[in-house]
Amino acid sequence: PSPKVQEALGNVAISDLRLYPDPDCTQLREVMAATCGLKPSQVFVGNGSDEIIDMLIRMLLVPGKHSVVCFEPCFSIYPIQAQVCGVEVRRHPLNADFSFDLDALFALVDDDTRLVFVTTPDNPSGYCPPLADVRRLAQRLGERFPHCLLVVDEAYMDFAGDSPEDEARFSLLASGDIPDNVAIMRTFSKSYGLAGLRLGYGILPAELAQYYWRARLPFSVNILAEEAGIAVLQDSTFRAATLECVRAGRRRLTEGLRALGCTVWPSAANFIMMRLPEGCGTAAACFEALLQRGIIIRPLKSYSLPEHLRVSVGSDEENTAFLEAMKQWMQEVRG
């Protein structure tokens, strides 16, 4: 986390913890609105973006009547929470190269669909669709299905492109022109390094944001999380260094894994999806072997991708340790 976060948390008096947090997160929303060039009334926060996604499903969909549309595979929270809430989930498979067929996704929508989820950059592949394509989907939904909300999950958008200026080429939020029928999800867990504090935020149409604040459980964002969020938004130097570290590490891991013969998909996120070369065992065996060496990566069996793996970009030392462990294990397997 940012040094300013550590300082801010250290300045929170222990005696203050007896108090309830501000249920409206007023200060954090004001800082975030100023950062994004929006009105505070459009900004909403939650206990991680998972809570916000869950709340949108609970608020907008009637069990047994409405449907959710998303890709297969996708971030598992979308279909799981929809099923928990008793609503239909309609899914379209990704293209063979893990790109999006947004026309096919649109074809699944009908008058009873209330939410369409699109993750950009995507999880687990890191694919980032062109901004114009996402905007066109929003336009088509608005014209044909005015009661349907397009939820654009930009959890990994900070890392898109090769420089900070590239974000505006891929992000609806960074573009400054958000369609009226779009909700945008963001998180403090990735580039801001606050995953353990559980803090997510998003942008909603102002009218819908009012219902969100009325329907959510109060105090889901604690005092420490709000203080950390305010502090990290004011540390542009730390954020710039973090993004450069991830971009450089992403290039290094991509080159290193391809040099080992792995198939690596282009990624706009802070992780890389890969597949082992022929004759190097299974993804499950690779995961277990690295685990024994103290390195944890993500097997993607739960995404219906049993032979694929995902590795998060780390520090220089972590990236080196991972590539060395991969090299040693592959040499052992090949004999």
Side-chain angles (χ1 to χ4, degrees), residues 62-78:
V62 175
K65 178 180 180 181
H66 294 146
S67 65
V68 163
V69 168
C70 56
F71 281 113
E72 169 74 38
C74 68
F75 182 40
S76 60
I77 289 295
Y78 314 147

Side-chain angles (χ1 to χ4, degrees), residues 48 59 140 179 277 302 314:
M59 285 170 50
R140 295 179 70 190
S302 63

Side-chain angles (χ1 to χ4, degrees), residues 241-242 244-253 270 295 311-324:
T242 299
E244 176 53 33
C245 176
V246 169
R247 290 188 172 104
R250 186 170 63 195
R251 290 191 294 269
R252 184 185 175 198
L253 289 183
N270 65 333
I295 296 173
V311 56
S312 294
V313 179
S315 64
D316 287 341
E317 294 79 9
E318 291 167 337
N319 295 336
T320 297
F322 165 70
L323 290 173
E324 284 298 317

Side-chain angles (χ1 to χ4, degrees), residues 168-241:
R169 297 196 295 114
F170 300 100
S171 166
L172 274 176
L173 178 59
S175 74
D177 182 15
I178 305 172
D180 293 336
N181 63 331
V182 169
I184 297 177
M185 303 288 114
R186 288 283 185 117
T187 179
F188 285 84
S189 296
K190 315 303 178 186
S191 65
Y192 293 118
L194 300 180
L197 283 175
R198 309 307 305 136
L199 186 61
Y201 72 99
I203 311 302
L204 271 180
E207 182 178 1
L208 187 55
Q210 295 178 26
Y211 286 103
Y212 173 80
W213 289 110
R214 288 161 57 184
R216 70 189 280 269
L217 290 173
F219 314 125
S220 68
V221 175
N222 65 70
I223 290 175
L224 297 179
E226 182 170 13
E227 289 291 337
I230 293 170
V232 80
L233 286 172
Q234 298 171 340
D235 195 347
S236 58
T237 301
F238 171 82
R239 184 169 183 268

Side-chain angles (χ1 to χ4, degrees), residues 116-127:
V116 175
F117 288 99
V118 172
T119 312
T120 173
D122 197 24
N123 178 14
S125 72
Y127 168 76

Side-chain angles (χ1 to χ4, degrees), residues 257 260 280 286 289-290 292-295 320-335:
L257 287 169
L260 293 174
C280 279
C286 179
L290 293 182
Q292 294 300 316
R293 291 168 166 82
I295 296 173
T320 297
F322 165 70
L323 290 173
E324 284 298 317
M326 282 290 295
K327 181 179 179 180
Q328 292 171 10
W329 177 74
M330 291 172 68
Q331 289 174 342
E332 293 172 6
V333 172
R334 287 169 170 165

